[in-house]
Amino acid sequence: KAGVTQTPRYLIKTRGQQVTLSCSPISGHRSVSWYQQTPGQGLQFLFEYFSETQRNKGNFPGRFSGRQFSNSRSEMNVSTLELGDSALYLCASNLQLNTGELFFGEGSRLTVL
Amino acid sequence: GQQLNQSPQSMFIQEGEDVSMNCTSSSIFNTWLWYKQDPGEGPVLLIALYKAGELTSNGRLTAQFGITRKDSFLNISASIPSDVGIYFCAAPDKYSTLTFGKGTMLLVSP
């Protein structure tokens, strides 16, 4: 069974640009969550989607957005990139809601110059 | 928001030693989870705890859900080099969103 797949794995952008990250969950998983990981702040929740609907959103500015498609694949977008957006963006899927038992992808490492 | 205070921040031990780490909070939780992250990978779930006082093992790993529901502990026995990584505690808030501790970095010397 394939795991959670995130693309791209690495990318470099400059300030002011925008970026779109993609996540394919494990087959059959309908819930997808996104987390930002930085050395200073650790793992911080961005948003969660289930059946194409955003269930929860973390404390991030409106420049961070996401969506989920009917096949459960998800994308997140960051507009007007800032240096502080440099981070590892992790996507996770789970089979059952409300258990906390997440399956993470390897992440997309974004560097903003 | 809720904070999980994880300690120690890092540990450097010899192969074969036992390891203990813990996670505390001022909030009460109904679930505690422990994840491990290897370099260049995403976190992987090690153990999930759903009941106060529960003690659960996964191989050489043993985790406990504190009786006050405000803390959890993870022990690793007879450590080996592949135990190297960052260990995170996590707990879901009332919206079922996971909050993570800052992690304990474990280094094991052969």
Side-chain angles (χ1 to χ4, degrees), chain B residues 2 6-7 18 20-21 27 35 55 72 86-87 92:
Chain B
Q2 289 149 144
Q6 196 170 343
S7 65
D18 296 343
S20 291
M21 59 190 77
S27 303
Y35 285 82
L55 191 71
S72 180
I86 305 177
Y87 292 80

Side-chain angles (χ1 to χ4, degrees), chain A residues 7-32:
Chain A
T7 56
R9 288 291 312 279
Y10 302 92
L11 64 167
I12 299 174
K13 294 284 187 178
T14 56
R15 278 181 298 175
Q17 287 187 310
Q18 74 163 11
V19 66
T20 299
L21 309 177
S22 179
C23 172
S24 293
I26 291 172
S27 178
H29 288 196
R30 293 162 61 193
S31 172
V32 173

